[in-house]
PDB file of all heavy atoms in Angstrom:
ATOM      1  N   PRO A  26       0.587  10.119   5.729  1.00 58.00           N
ATOM      2  CA  PRO A  26       0.675  11.533   5.891  1.00 58.00           C
ATOM      3  C   PRO A  26       1.914  12.125   5.282  1.00 58.00           C
ATOM      4  O   PRO A  26       2.978  11.488   5.193  1.00 58.00           O
ATOM      5  CB  PRO A  26       0.626  11.773   7.429  1.00 58.00           C
ATOM      6  CG  PRO A  26       0.286  10.477   7.986  1.00 58.00           C
ATOM      7  CD  PRO A  26       0.668   9.376   6.925  1.00 58.00           C
ATOM      8  N   ASP A  29       5.953  11.532   6.320  1.00 65.00           N
ATOM      9  CA  ASP A  29       6.239  10.147   6.755  1.00 65.00           C
ATOM     10  C   ASP A  29       7.359   9.489   5.950  1.00 65.00           C
ATOM     11  O   ASP A  29       7.448   9.737   4.751  1.00 65.00           O
ATOM     12  CB  ASP A  29       5.027   9.219   6.761  1.00 65.00           C
ATOM     13  CG  ASP A  29       4.161   9.301   8.016  1.00 65.00           C
ATOM     14  OD1 ASP A  29       4.525  10.211   8.837  1.00 65.00           O
ATOM     15  OD2 ASP A  29       3.322   8.558   8.174  1.00 65.00           O
ATOM     16  N   THR A  33      11.960  -0.102   3.372  1.00 75.00           N
ATOM     17  CA  THR A  33      11.569  -1.244   2.770  1.00 75.00           C
ATOM     18  C   THR A  33      11.754  -2.479   3.688  1.00 75.00           C
ATOM     19  O   THR A  33      10.900  -3.428   3.755  1.00 75.00           O
ATOM     20  CB  THR A  33      12.339  -1.500   1.455  1.00 75.00           C
ATOM     21  OG1 THR A  33      12.135  -0.422   0.640  1.00 75.00           O
ATOM     22  CG2 THR A  33      11.827  -2.774   0.661  1.00 75.00           C
ATOM     23  N   TRP A  35      11.098  -2.885   6.589  1.00 71.00           N
ATOM     24  CA  TRP A  35      10.047  -3.043   7.587  1.00 71.00           C
ATOM     25  C   TRP A  35       9.047  -4.082   7.026  1.00 71.00           C
ATOM     26  O   TRP A  35       8.215  -4.583   7.918  1.00 71.00           O
ATOM     27  CB  TRP A  35       9.346  -1.703   7.763  1.00 71.00           C
ATOM     28  CG  TRP A  35      10.069  -0.683   8.464  1.00 71.00           C
ATOM     29  CD1 TRP A  35      11.253  -0.795   9.249  1.00 71.00           C
ATOM     30  CD2 TRP A  35       9.812   0.847   8.518  1.00 71.00           C
ATOM     31  NE1 TRP A  35      11.714   0.438   9.703  1.00 71.00           N
ATOM     32  CE2 TRP A  35      10.832   1.411   9.263  1.00 71.00           C
ATOM     33  CE3 TRP A  35       8.881   1.560   7.949  1.00 71.00           C
ATOM     34  CZ2 TRP A  35      10.863   2.783   9.510  1.00 71.00           C
ATOM     35  CZ3 TRP A  35       8.829   2.926   8.208  1.00 71.00           C
ATOM     36  CH2 TRP A  35       9.837   3.525   8.909  1.00 71.00           C
ATOM     37  N   LEU A  38       8.885  -8.918   8.207  1.00 82.00           N
ATOM     38  CA  LEU A  38       7.984  -9.724   9.042  1.00 82.00           C
ATOM     39  C   LEU A  38       6.684 -10.038   8.376  1.00 82.00           C
ATOM     40  O   LEU A  38       6.277 -11.196   8.189  1.00 82.00           O
ATOM     41  CB  LEU A  38       7.818  -9.119  10.387  1.00 82.00           C
ATOM     42  CG  LEU A  38       7.004 -10.043  11.321  1.00 82.00           C
ATOM     43  CD1 LEU A  38       7.707 -11.337  11.534  1.00 82.00           C
ATOM     44  CD2 LEU A  38       6.763  -9.307  12.724  1.00 82.00           C
ATOM     45  N   LEU A  43       2.604 -13.218   4.149  1.00 90.00           N
ATOM     46  CA  LEU A  43       1.922 -12.860   2.895  1.00 90.00           C
ATOM     47  C   LEU A  43       2.254 -13.500   1.687  1.00 90.00           C
ATOM     48  O   LEU A  43       1.464 -13.740   0.778  1.00 90.00           O
ATOM     49  CB  LEU A  43       1.971 -11.280   2.742  1.00 90.00           C
ATOM     50  CG  LEU A  43       1.387 -10.414   3.751  1.00 90.00           C
ATOM     51  CD1 LEU A  43       1.867  -8.968   3.553  1.00 90.00           C
ATOM     52  CD2 LEU A  43      -0.062 -10.525   3.781  1.00 90.00           C
ATOM     53  N   CYS A  44       3.528 -13.994   1.647  1.00 92.00           N
ATOM     54  CA  CYS A  44       4.036 -14.727   0.486  1.00 92.00           C
ATOM     55  C   CYS A  44       3.883 -16.266   0.540  1.00 92.00           C
ATOM     56  O   CYS A  44       3.744 -16.779   1.676  1.00 92.00           O
ATOM     57  CB  CYS A  44       5.484 -14.442   0.278  1.00 92.00           C
ATOM     58  SG  CYS A  44       5.875 -12.714  -0.108  1.00 92.00           S
ATOM     59  N   ASP A  50       8.086 -27.354  -6.489  1.00 96.00           N
ATOM     60  CA  ASP A  50       8.912 -28.382  -7.251  1.00 96.00           C
ATOM     61  C   ASP A  50       9.968 -27.763  -8.142  1.00 96.00           C
ATOM     62  O   ASP A  50      10.814 -28.468  -8.599  1.00 96.00           O
ATOM     63  CB  ASP A  50       8.004 -29.322  -8.027  1.00 96.00           C
ATOM     64  CG  ASP A  50       7.063 -30.061  -7.154  1.00 96.00           C
ATOM     65  OD1 ASP A  50       7.437 -30.364  -5.992  1.00 96.00           O
ATOM     66  OD2 ASP A  50       5.964 -30.357  -7.632  1.00 96.00           O
ATOM     67  N   VAL A  54      14.133 -19.767  -5.649  1.00 97.00           N
ATOM     68  CA  VAL A  54      14.262 -18.369  -6.225  1.00 97.00           C
ATOM     69  C   VAL A  54      14.434 -17.352  -5.042  1.00 97.00           C
ATOM     70  O   VAL A  54      14.005 -17.672  -3.983  1.00 97.00           O
ATOM     71  CB  VAL A  54      13.089 -17.914  -7.112  1.00 97.00           C
ATOM     72  CG1 VAL A  54      12.977 -18.804  -8.349  1.00 97.00           C
ATOM     73  CG2 VAL A  54      11.792 -17.936  -6.295  1.00 97.00           C
ATOM     74  N   LEU A  58      13.564  -7.104  -2.412  1.00 93.00           N
ATOM     75  CA  LEU A  58      12.806  -5.878  -2.441  1.00 93.00           C
ATOM     76  C   LEU A  58      13.805  -4.786  -2.054  1.00 93.00           C
ATOM     77  O   LEU A  58      14.559  -5.001  -1.018  1.00 93.00           O
ATOM     78  CB  LEU A  58      11.797  -5.899  -1.314  1.00 93.00           C
ATOM     79  CG  LEU A  58      10.388  -6.491  -1.853  1.00 93.00           C
ATOM     80  CD1 LEU A  58      10.455  -7.889  -2.197  1.00 93.00           C
ATOM     81  CD2 LEU A  58       9.394  -6.320  -0.693  1.00 93.00           C
ATOM     82  N   HIS A  62      21.085  -1.741   1.062  1.00 87.00           N
ATOM     83  CA  HIS A  62      21.134  -0.833   2.190  1.00 87.00           C
ATOM     84  C   HIS A  62      19.778  -0.738   2.951  1.00 87.00           C
ATOM     85  O   HIS A  62      19.624  -0.490   4.055  1.00 87.00           O
ATOM     86  CB  HIS A  62      21.515   0.547   1.743  1.00 87.00           C
ATOM     87  CG  HIS A  62      22.829   0.577   1.064  1.00 87.00           C
ATOM     88  ND1 HIS A  62      24.009   0.434   1.849  1.00 87.00           N
ATOM     89  CD2 HIS A  62      23.201   0.673  -0.182  1.00 87.00           C
ATOM     90  CE1 HIS A  62      25.056   0.391   0.966  1.00 87.00           C
ATOM     91  NE2 HIS A  62      24.594   0.568  -0.219  1.00 87.00           N
ATOM     92  N   ASP A  63      18.620  -0.954   2.174  1.00 89.00           N
ATOM     93  CA  ASP A  63      17.393  -0.935   2.733  1.00 89.00           C
ATOM     94  C   ASP A  63      16.436  -1.874   1.915  1.00 89.00           C
ATOM     95  O   ASP A  63      15.826  -1.464   0.979  1.00 89.00           O
ATOM     96  CB  ASP A  63      16.716   0.392   2.734  1.00 89.00           C
ATOM     97  CG  ASP A  63      15.343   0.485   3.283  1.00 89.00           C
ATOM     98  OD1 ASP A  63      14.998  -0.332   4.128  1.00 89.00           O
ATOM     99  OD2 ASP A  63      14.508   1.326   2.846  1.00 89.00           O
ATOM    100  N   CYS A  65      15.115  -6.385   1.640  1.00 92.00           N
ATOM    101  CA  CYS A  65      15.148  -7.807   2.120  1.00 92.00           C
ATOM    102  C   CYS A  65      15.039  -8.784   1.070  1.00 92.00           C
ATOM    103  O   CYS A  65      14.674  -8.362  -0.154  1.00 92.00           O
ATOM    104  CB  CYS A  65      13.943  -7.992   3.110  1.00 92.00           C
ATOM    105  SG  CYS A  65      12.297  -7.664   2.455  1.00 92.00           S
ATOM    106  N   ASP A  86      17.097 -13.519  -8.204  1.00 97.00           N
ATOM    107  CA  ASP A  86      16.615 -13.728  -9.572  1.00 97.00           C
ATOM    108  C   ASP A  86      15.864 -12.574 -10.093  1.00 97.00           C
ATOM    109  O   ASP A  86      15.669 -12.382 -11.266  1.00 97.00           O
ATOM    110  CB  ASP A  86      15.597 -14.937  -9.461  1.00 97.00           C
ATOM    111  CG  ASP A  86      16.337 -16.227  -9.075  1.00 97.00           C
ATOM    112  OD1 ASP A  86      16.962 -16.874  -9.917  1.00 97.00           O
ATOM    113  OD2 ASP A  86      16.217 -16.631  -7.950  1.00 97.00           O
ATOM    114  N   ALA A  87      15.385 -11.727  -9.147  1.00 97.00           N
ATOM    115  CA  ALA A  87      14.741 -10.509  -9.514  1.00 97.00           C
ATOM    116  C   ALA A  87      14.858  -9.493  -8.266  1.00 97.00           C
ATOM    117  O   ALA A  87      14.967  -9.905  -7.209  1.00 97.00           O
ATOM    118  CB  ALA A  87      13.255 -10.692  -9.689  1.00 97.00           C
ATOM    119  N   GLN A  94       3.322   2.460  -1.085  1.00 89.00           N
ATOM    120  CA  GLN A  94       1.982   2.072  -1.185  1.00 89.00           C
ATOM    121  C   GLN A  94       1.700   0.942  -2.310  1.00 89.00           C
ATOM    122  O   GLN A  94       0.850   0.120  -2.072  1.00 89.00           O
ATOM    123  CB  GLN A  94       1.135   3.310  -1.680  1.00 89.00           C
ATOM    124  CG  GLN A  94       1.153   4.411  -0.732  1.00 89.00           C
ATOM    125  CD  GLN A  94       2.293   5.344  -0.885  1.00 89.00           C
ATOM    126  OE1 GLN A  94       3.289   5.070  -1.641  1.00 89.00           O
ATOM    127  NE2 GLN A  94       2.257   6.536  -0.355  1.00 89.00           N
ATOM    128  N   PHE A  96       4.078  -1.577  -2.903  1.00 89.00           N
ATOM    129  CA  PHE A  96       4.472  -2.732  -2.267  1.00 89.00           C
ATOM    130  C   PHE A  96       3.376  -3.214  -1.323  1.00 89.00           C
ATOM    131  O   PHE A  96       3.015  -4.384  -1.389  1.00 89.00           O
ATOM    132  CB  PHE A  96       5.636  -2.455  -1.374  1.00 89.00           C
ATOM    133  CG  PHE A  96       7.025  -2.558  -2.049  1.00 89.00           C
ATOM    134  CD1 PHE A  96       8.098  -1.684  -1.705  1.00 89.00           C
ATOM    135  CD2 PHE A  96       7.237  -3.582  -3.047  1.00 89.00           C
ATOM    136  CE1 PHE A  96       9.331  -1.807  -2.275  1.00 89.00           C
ATOM    137  CE2 PHE A  96       8.523  -3.611  -3.664  1.00 89.00           C
ATOM    138  CZ  PHE A  96       9.476  -2.788  -3.260  1.00 89.00           C
ATOM    139  N   THR A 105      -3.085  -6.004  -8.287  1.00 91.00           N
ATOM    140  CA  THR A 105      -2.549  -7.046  -9.148  1.00 91.00           C
ATOM    141  C   THR A 105      -1.148  -6.689  -9.522  1.00 91.00           C
ATOM    142  O   THR A 105      -0.723  -5.450  -9.446  1.00 91.00           O
ATOM    143  CB  THR A 105      -3.365  -7.314 -10.376  1.00 91.00           C
ATOM    144  OG1 THR A 105      -3.285  -6.177 -11.159  1.00 91.00           O
ATOM    145  CG2 THR A 105      -4.829  -7.701 -10.061  1.00 91.00           C
ATOM    146  N   VAL A 116      10.498  -4.316 -12.052  1.00 97.00           N
ATOM    147  CA  VAL A 116      11.037  -5.728 -11.823  1.00 97.00           C
ATOM    148  C   VAL A 116      12.227  -5.747 -12.710  1.00 97.00           C
ATOM    149  O   VAL A 116      12.312  -5.686 -13.969  1.00 97.00           O
ATOM    150  CB  VAL A 116      10.062  -6.792 -12.256  1.00 97.00           C
ATOM    151  CG1 VAL A 116      10.749  -8.183 -12.092  1.00 97.00           C
ATOM    152  CG2 VAL A 116       8.739  -6.680 -11.507  1.00 97.00           C
ATOM    153  N   ALA A 120      10.245 -11.731 -13.718  1.00 95.00           N
ATOM    154  CA  ALA A 120       8.952 -11.479 -13.208  1.00 95.00           C
ATOM    155  C   ALA A 120       8.356 -12.757 -12.775  1.00 95.00           C
ATOM    156  O   ALA A 120       7.503 -12.730 -11.860  1.00 95.00           O
ATOM    157  CB  ALA A 120       8.101 -10.787 -14.338  1.00 95.00           C
ATOM    158  N   GLN A 124       6.151 -13.656  -9.401  1.00 93.00           N
ATOM    159  CA  GLN A 124       4.806 -14.147  -9.414  1.00 93.00           C
ATOM    160  C   GLN A 124       4.746 -15.471  -8.600  1.00 93.00           C
ATOM    161  O   GLN A 124       3.701 -15.723  -8.010  1.00 93.00           O
ATOM    162  CB  GLN A 124       4.453 -14.537 -10.936  1.00 93.00           C
ATOM    163  CG  GLN A 124       4.099 -13.302 -11.747  1.00 93.00           C
ATOM    164  CD  GLN A 124       3.779 -13.619 -13.158  1.00 93.00           C
ATOM    165  OE1 GLN A 124       4.386 -14.515 -13.693  1.00 93.00           O
ATOM    166  NE2 GLN A 124       2.830 -12.975 -13.698  1.00 93.00           N
ATOM    167  N   ALA A 132      -1.435 -13.182  -8.597  1.00 44.00           N
ATOM    168  CA  ALA A 132      -0.377 -13.127  -9.540  1.00 44.00           C
ATOM    169  C   ALA A 132      -0.959 -13.181 -10.988  1.00 44.00           C
ATOM    170  O   ALA A 132      -0.298 -12.673 -11.920  1.00 44.00           O
ATOM    171  CB  ALA A 132       0.534 -14.316  -9.344  1.00 44.00           C
ATOM    172  N   ARG A 134      -3.909 -12.022 -12.176  1.00 44.00           N
ATOM    173  CA  ARG A 134      -4.890 -11.025 -12.566  1.00 44.00           C
ATOM    174  C   ARG A 134      -4.362 -10.092 -13.635  1.00 44.00           C
ATOM    175  O   ARG A 134      -3.265  -9.721 -13.714  1.00 44.00           O
ATOM    176  CB  ARG A 134      -5.386 -10.255 -11.403  1.00 44.00           C
ATOM    177  CG  ARG A 134      -6.248 -10.982 -10.465  1.00 44.00           C
ATOM    178  CD  ARG A 134      -6.786 -10.062  -9.429  1.00 44.00           C
ATOM    179  NE  ARG A 134      -7.128 -10.869  -8.322  1.00 44.00           N
ATOM    180  CZ  ARG A 134      -7.444 -10.271  -7.141  1.00 44.00           C
ATOM    181  NH1 ARG A 134      -7.315  -9.031  -6.892  1.00 44.00           N
ATOM    182  NH2 ARG A 134      -7.850 -10.990  -6.064  1.00 44.00           N
TER     183      ARG A 134
END
Side-chain angles (χ1 to χ4, degrees):
D29 270 9
T33 304
W35 292 343
L38 183 60
L43 295 170
C44 295
D50 297 327
V54 295
L58 271 64
H62 303 288
D63 178 28
C65 58
D86 297 283
Q94 299 85 344
F96 273 145
T105 65
V116 179
Q124 286 180 322
R134 285 189 205 166

